[in-house]
Amino acid sequence: MTNRVVITGLGVVAPNAVGIENFTEAMRLGISGIEFYQELKDLNFSCQIGGIPTISEDLKSQYFSELQLRGFNSSGILYGCIAGIDAWKNAGFSVSDDSELDIDTGLIFGTGTSGVEKFREAIYKLDDKQVRRLGSTVVVQTMASGVSAYLSGMLGLGNQVTTNSSACSTGTEAILMGYNRIKSGNAKRMLVGSCSDHGPYVWGGFDAMRVCTYKHNETPEQGSRPMSASASGFVPGSGAGALLLESLDSASERNATIYAEVLGGEVNSGGQRNGGTLTAPNPEAVQRCIKQAIKNSGLNKNDIQVINGHLTATSKDALEIENWSKSLNREGSDFPYINATKSMIGHCLAAAGAIESVASVLQLHHQFVASNLNCEDLHPEITSIVAKEKIPSNSFNFNFDIIAKASFGFGDVNACVLFKRFKA
């Protein structure tokens, strides 16, 4: 376990921007990707706003052949393939149908659900006894590993190819799984990330749980309010994030651009004990995850300069801040700068960890702290722990070396990863 692991490629499909350059600008400017959707209103949703990436037909044709798009109806796989291919190209590699099998590169790309739209389409055809008209791709579009199957075939990857699924911590977990495979010498490169479908058939269950906001249907850009006293639930989002992880030796050999180094992290569970449930975190486990991630990365608690939190705009935001404070034994003006990417894109569910990790790496690479939208009225339980200036409403340039990214998911599962500014 001696290989250093670096990030040489990034790709993102987010509600507020598609592509790394656009996404970086959106974070700097504090651009929201949350919109009102008439379809949700027509279906009698309480929350009628959400985050859906803008993907044109022309953009689709740049990634998929006409044959691949025939009968294609899976937004999550679409987002994942675009983000993954962008990360691959961003790392300096090309995409070719006749390329040789790359046995040194693998893929771990997570999801929560896959092909919900395609599955619904299939149900309607089956109800109408049209089984022979389901098409030949219904299985690969609806199986959990569909995104990995599509993406690995497009790129010809011959190392481990798999899909993970751990609710909101999926993307962050995928990064650590890929990191460990390179660290142990079992791969030179791993394309990692996660994706999530959009729409009412994914978001309806959350609306029924009353965990989504219903107060901002007329003002969608104000709806996602992490750390705010007036937060009333999260805004559902969708998209994908992808990172190409590579051993430092491999990256150096080909003189690749290095965005950051992955120092390590931790994945654990609270076991739905000590306050943890199917939908709420066990605080002890969250704190243990953060502390162990720091230890595994060879750091100490004072090395953390910026945090990209999970921070969903629910009642658990204050608890998360408390958990960070207890884990780092830091508060007030000594607390690190903290931001919530969800303030701009909503909660992208299984894609959240990957998109927000891309956001973290971009902040580190370009040396800035991104905006926090809609939190001018910070929750008093949060300001009792953290100085207000540590939760900036506007982005600013900042010289720093370490950023922590954590995700906490349904099922009481946790993941935390540490990124470092790369220095040769």
Side-chain angles (χ1 to χ4, degrees):
M1 300 284 284
T2 58
N3 292 324
R4 291 174 67 183
V5 180
V6 295
I7 299 165
T8 55
L10 297 169
V12 67
V13 176
N16 65 343
V18 176
I20 293 302
E21 289 186 10
N22 293 336
F23 187 58
T24 304
E25 182 180 20
M27 285 195 297
R28 282 190 183 274
L29 298 178
I31 296 174
S32 172
I34 307 304
E35 298 181 18
F36 168 81
Y37 292 100
Q38 184 65 42
E39 180 186 18
L40 300 180
K41 182 177 182 179
D42 293 343
L43 290 169
N44 207 26
F45 272 52
S46 296
C47 178
Q48 299 162 10
I49 61 176
I52 299 177
T54 301
I55 305 292
S56 67
E57 293 301 317
D58 179 63
L59 187 63
K60 288 182 187 178
S61 67
Q62 296 176 35
Y63 295 83
F64 293 83
S65 68
E66 185 177 337
L67 180 61
Q68 287 174 319
L69 288 173
R70 191 177 302 165
F72 190 89
N73 192 17
S74 176
S75 58
I77 292 176
L78 174 72
Y79 301 149
C81 288
I82 292 174
I85 290 171
D86 279 359
W88 184 251
K89 290 180 176 179
N90 184 242
F93 296 103
S94 60
V95 178
S96 173
D97 291 337
D98 57 359
S99 60
E100 292 185 6
L101 180 67
D102 183 352
I103 62 172
D104 293 320
T105 305
L107 171 73
I108 300 175
F109 219 93
T111 187
T113 54
S114 185
V116 175
E117 302 100 323
K118 190 67 178 179
F119 194 63
R120 174 179 176 271
E121 178 186 305
I123 289 172
Y124 272 84
K125 287 184 177 180
L126 284 173
D127 285 347
D128 200 32
K129 300 179 181 179
Q130 298 184 53
V131 63
R132 296 186 184 279
R133 298 187 63 185
L134 290 179
S136 60
T137 63
V138 67
V139 174
V140 292
Q141 286 189 55
T142 57
M143 65 186 189
S145 57
V147 62
S148 297
Y150 270 91
L151 198 45
S152 63
M154 289 172 165
L155 302 177
L157 306 183
N159 205 278
Q160 180 188 16
V161 171
T162 190
T163 292
N164 68 308
S165 186
S166 296
C168 311
S169 64
T170 297
T172 309
E173 180 186 74
I175 293 169
L176 290 170
M177 292 171 72
Y179 163 84
N180 286 327
R181 188 159 182 84
I182 297 172
K183 189 80 172 173
S184 62
N186 290 311
K188 288 184 179 179
R189 293 170 294 274
M190 293 294 293
L191 182 58
V192 300
S194 61
C195 61
S196 182
D197 291 28
H198 71 251
Y201 298 98
V202 179
W203 299 344
F206 298 102
D207 197 74
M209 290 174 66
R210 301 291 191 266
V211 294
C212 298
T213 182
Y214 61 90
K215 295 182 177 180
H216 297 277
N217 294 332
E218 305 298 324
T219 53
E221 292 187 0
Q222 298 175 25
S224 189
R225 311 181 64 81
M227 298 183 282
S228 166
S230 54
S232 54
F234 73 76
V235 176
S238 57
L243 306 89
L244 187 71
L245 308 185
E246 188 165 3
S247 72
L248 178 57
D249 288 343
S250 174
S252 299
E253 283 174 9
R254 58 188 197 86
N255 197 30
T257 296
I258 295 175
Y259 287 97
E261 182 172 2
V262 184
L263 293 182
E266 174 71 352
V267 176
N268 76 4
S269 170
Q272 298 171 47
R273 302 293 189 273
N274 300 325
T277 68
L278 276 170
T279 59
N282 172 347
E284 179 277 327
V286 169
Q287 294 171 36
R288 178 163 46 89
C289 182
I290 295 169
K291 291 176 182 178
Q292 192 62 44
I294 293 170
K295 181 179 179 181
N296 292 345
S297 301
L299 300 172
N300 68 64
K301 63 185 187 307
N302 293 318
D303 291 326
I304 311 303
Q305 294 164 285
V306 180
I307 296 167
N308 189 317
H310 186 57
L311 298 170
T312 58
T314 64
S315 61
K316 299 300 179 183
D317 283 5
L319 177 59
E320 179 179 338
I321 297 297
E322 180 183 347
N323 287 331
W324 281 108
S325 180
K326 288 183 176 179
S327 300
L328 303 177
N329 193 26
R330 295 167 65 183
E331 60 182 24
S333 59
D334 184 46
F335 196 87
Y337 288 106
I338 187 163
N339 58 33
T341 306
K342 290 182 182 71
S343 67
M344 290 179 269
I345 63 174
H347 189 346
C348 294
L349 308 176
I355 295 174
E356 292 163 22
S357 289
V358 171
S360 302
V361 172
L362 287 171
Q363 290 177 79
L364 187 61
H365 180 68
H366 293 291
Q367 293 289 279
F368 74 100
V369 176
S371 309
N372 286 297
L373 301 188
N374 306 317
C375 68
E376 293 81 7
D377 60 332
L378 288 167
H379 196 289
E381 291 182 20
I382 292 176
T383 54
S384 69
I385 300 172
V386 183
K388 289 184 178 181
E389 64 267 20
K390 294 296 183 174
I391 308 174
S393 295
N394 298 305
S395 66
F396 64 95
N397 294 331
F398 182 51
N399 189 335
F400 70 108
D401 291 320
I402 304 291
I403 187 169
K405 170 62 203 155
S407 300
F408 312 117
F410 277 12
D412 200 7
V413 292
N414 312 304
C416 181
V417 61
L418 279 298
F419 301 112
K420 182 181 181 180
R421 183 182 182 183
F422 180 74
K423 297 177 182 178

